[in-house]
Amino acid sequence: QVRLVESGGGLVQPGGSLTLSCAASGTILSINVMGWYRQPPGKQRELVAVITSSGNPNYADSVKGRFTISIDNAKNTVYLQMSSLKFEDTSVYYCNANVRSGQRPYPYQYWGQGTQVTVSS
């Protein structure tokens, strides 16, 4: 089965930087879109950034100019470089992928378990 494993979360000071990684394992046939969502305490899950396999990104307005998403198709991995971090960026960040796999050879959505990002002084 397809599994998404996030890494790179942690504690960072305001204005600092952090990079998240998400690797998709399993028999990946092709990637349509991979990206990141977040769910701060008391709020609904929201899109942070997504990127197509061809490298076309889309960002939430709140992170434009600060976050950069990238994808390595060969490694089935998506990255989120976060800079100029704010307290409001504190959240659990979830990896999301829309891929075709050996088990489901049609576009299907998968979610990671999430990784905690805490911005605090």
Side-chain angles (χ1 to χ4, degrees):
Q1 310 98 297
V2 174
R3 294 183 179 88
L4 305 181
V5 180
E6 302 107 329
S7 62
L11 177 65
V12 64
Q13 293 184 333
S17 300
L18 203 63
T19 298
L20 306 181
S21 300
C22 173
S25 63
T27 308
I28 306 298
L29 301 179
S30 65
I31 297 171
N32 294 316
V33 180
M34 293 188 73
W36 296 90
Y37 292 71
R38 67 187 182 187
Q39 188 168 11
K43 296 184 178 181
Q44 293 186 318
R45 189 170 298 186
E46 64 181 10
L47 183 147
V48 177
V50 295
I51 188 168
T52 66
S53 61
S54 62
N56 186 36
N58 190 24
Y59 298 93
D61 289 339
S62 60
V63 306
K64 285 182 178 178
R66 300 189 299 120
F67 291 10
T68 300
I69 191 169
S70 61
I71 189 169
D72 186 335
N73 290 289
K75 296 181 178 179
N76 297 322
T77 300
V78 65
Y79 306 91
L80 185 67
Q81 181 181 324
M82 304 182 292
S83 300
S84 301
L85 283 162
K86 306 173 181 178
F87 179 80
E88 302 85 75
D89 294 318
T90 295
S91 180
V92 176
Y93 284 70
Y94 297 92
C95 182
N96 176 267
N98 184 296
V99 305
R100 293 171 56 248
S101 66
Q103 189 169 28
R104 296 184 176 89
Y106 51 89
Y108 195 85
Q109 295 276 355
Y110 298 90
W111 289 94
Q113 292 294 309
T115 184
Q116 177 70 47
V117 172
T118 302
V119 183
S120 177
S121 60

